[in-house]
Amino acid sequence: GLKKKEPLTKGMLETLAIIAYKQPVVMAELEELRGVSSRMMVANLMKRNLVKPVGRKDLPGRPLAYGTTEEFLRLFGLNRLSDLPKLSEIKEFNYENEE
């Protein structure tokens, strides 16, 4: 079975970050942002109880929208979603500063 403490892969973290910041987010938005199919990523994050369906968006086909769980907050040591660092603060960790 799945070992409880397997680290999240880069793809899972990327997917999780997008869901965390853009929730509620539908699969099509995720895939557009990541540029790759993300169904497996979302399925794996749901297995780990980090992501859950949070309703449906008023779009054609009424797609499921995903958001983060309490477990996600616990894992990252947050009390609430508003404790997430601002995206602008995270941008500074990008590769812009590398010569």
Side-chain angles (χ1 to χ4, degrees):
L2 204 128
K3 286 196 297 295
K4 202 67 196 108
K5 286 292 170 211
E6 263 172 46
L8 297 172
T9 64
K10 188 173 172 294
M12 284 164 85
L13 277 171
E14 197 176 272
T15 306
L16 188 55
I18 295 171
I19 293 172
Y21 283 102
K22 301 231 178 248
Q23 59 187 313
V25 63
V26 299
M27 195 66 72
E29 295 171 298
L30 268 176
E31 296 185 340
E32 193 176 308
L33 285 162
R34 294 193 63 228
V36 291
S37 168
S38 301
R39 277 174 204 289
M40 279 307 300
M41 294 297 166
V42 171
N44 282 327
L45 290 167
M46 282 174 67
K47 258 192 217 124
R48 287 163 182 252
N49 193 28
L50 296 174
V51 168
K52 63 176 190 241
V54 292
R56 295 187 176 273
K57 278 214 173 166
D58 226 347
L59 295 167
R62 308 268 302 140
L64 266 179
Y66 298 92
T68 52
T69 62
E70 294 289 316
E71 182 63 31
F72 162 79
L73 295 176
R74 265 200 299 282
L75 181 66
F76 289 95
L78 305 167
N79 293 315
R80 59 191 73 79
L81 275 174
S82 53
D83 292 343
L84 279 170
K86 304 276 173 293
L87 277 177
S88 56
E89 291 167 18
I90 293 175
K91 284 234 171 24
E92 286 151 29
F93 298 112
N94 261 334
Y95 310 107
E96 292 150 17
N97 309 333
E98 288 181 14
E99 297 303 319

